[in-house]
Amino acid sequence: MSDAAQPTAAEVRAAAEAVKTALDRHLAAVERRSGEEDPAVYDAFNELAAAAEAYDELLYDRYDEVTPFEIPGEDTLPPYTGPEEPSALSVLIRRDYAVAEPQRLMAQARRVEAADEDAPPGAGASGTVHGALGLLFGEFEPDEIASRHKEFGLEEGDSTLWVTAADESAEPGEWLEAPFEQVDPERVVCRFDVSAVFDEEFDDDGDEEDEGEDGEAGLPDLDEDLDTDLDEDGEPARLEADR
């Protein structure tokens, strides 16, 4: 960072004072809270987290120093305020993938294209990555792609599933133009997250007894054994004898 962009010492000091003020407000809210999910405590918690994060960033930018505090992320949900007996629900899913093997992806798309009798001759959508993605996601259900992602040359990233409660079912076509625009975190009944971050935390805390001689998990990686190679044209090839 250039000297011109660095915060001043006064700005860092002001951010530190803001943390002290937010800390006092959080303690006061906790001392007079009315119950387990007091919104005043929740608001004070968020204000303290924001103030601490701002101070941490300014401190690093100015002095190349950090605080010993871990700033909470946005993975926690606010208290539930939806209906006690929901009559409808929405399931919101996000799954991230990396295109790890474009040739494998396009080879699978060519199979779909070849099997489509209604496809115009020479359509060639499978010849590009974005065209292949359109073909595959149009042919297979998202859950099937999730379970077979390696076959399609994809690598899993983070994923999350939110179940949100509603007072009544939406009208047909009501939200199709902006399906994720009006998600209310306070109506989330439950959520399920999958991330490599959790795997790393488990590995750090896991027992060494579960590891093999080379430090890897004792059980074999079946995915690697069942995976297939591609030939020069991007088509799956037979496994070599020495594998």
Side-chain angles (χ1 to χ4, degrees):
M1 179 178 289
S2 65
D3 292 339
Q6 285 185 342
T8 65
E11 288 175 325
V12 179
R13 173 63 61 181
E17 293 298 328
V19 173
K20 297 175 187 177
T21 300
L23 190 61
D24 289 338
R25 289 176 178 170
H26 180 260
L27 177 58
V30 171
E31 288 174 336
R32 59 174 183 266
R33 67 181 175 187
S34 58
E36 293 267 339
E37 297 180 351
D38 191 326
V41 175
Y42 177 76
D43 291 341
F45 174 89
N46 285 338
E47 289 175 8
L48 176 58
E53 184 173 13
Y55 170 64
D56 193 78
E57 290 178 357
L58 291 173
L59 186 71
Y60 181 80
D61 291 344
R62 176 67 185 183
Y63 300 109
D64 197 24
E65 188 57 74
V66 295
T67 65
F69 311 119
E70 181 178 353
I71 308 303
E74 294 298 323
D75 57 343
T76 56
L77 293 170
Y80 176 75
T81 61
E84 289 298 322
E85 298 182 5
S87 58
L89 60 88
S90 294
V91 179
L92 304 145
I93 301 175
R94 172 173 173 167
R95 295 187 179 118
D96 282 5
Y97 298 96
V99 181
E101 299 179 74
Q103 293 301 321
R104 185 186 295 272
L105 175 77
M106 291 187 286
Q108 291 284 10
R110 283 196 293 273
R111 290 192 179 88
V112 173
E113 204 167 41
D116 186 0
E117 298 178 354
D118 297 327
S126 61
T128 64
V129 171
H130 75 272
L133 288 170
L135 281 170
L136 292 176
F137 277 86
E139 177 71 15
F140 300 99
E141 292 291 334
D143 287 344
E144 185 170 3
I145 289 181
S147 65
R148 300 173 56 190
H149 63 277
K150 287 189 175 182
E151 289 182 44
F152 302 133
L154 302 176
E155 183 178 302
E156 284 185 312
D158 289 356
S159 67
T160 187
L161 180 150
W162 292 23
V163 179
T164 65
D167 297 304
E168 57 186 18
S169 299
E171 294 295 328
E174 179 180 342
W175 47 257
L176 290 179
E177 292 186 2
F180 307 112
E181 193 174 63
Q182 298 179 345
V183 180
D184 185 355
E186 294 186 352
R187 285 184 169 242
V188 174
V189 177
C190 58
R191 63 178 287 180
F192 304 94
D193 298 326
V194 177
S195 174
V197 172
F198 305 142
D199 296 335
E200 292 169 2
E201 292 175 353
F202 179 78
D203 290 341
D204 290 341
D205 298 335
D207 295 331
E208 296 181 357
E209 296 176 359
D210 294 335
E211 296 185 352
E213 293 181 359
D214 58 355
E216 297 293 331
L219 293 177
D221 189 341
L222 296 181
D223 288 335
E224 291 184 2
D225 293 341
L226 296 177
D227 203 4
T228 56
D229 293 330
L230 299 179
D231 60 22
E232 294 179 356
D233 297 325
E235 301 290 345
R238 297 183 64 86
L239 295 176
E240 298 294 340
D242 60 355
R243 294 189 60 189

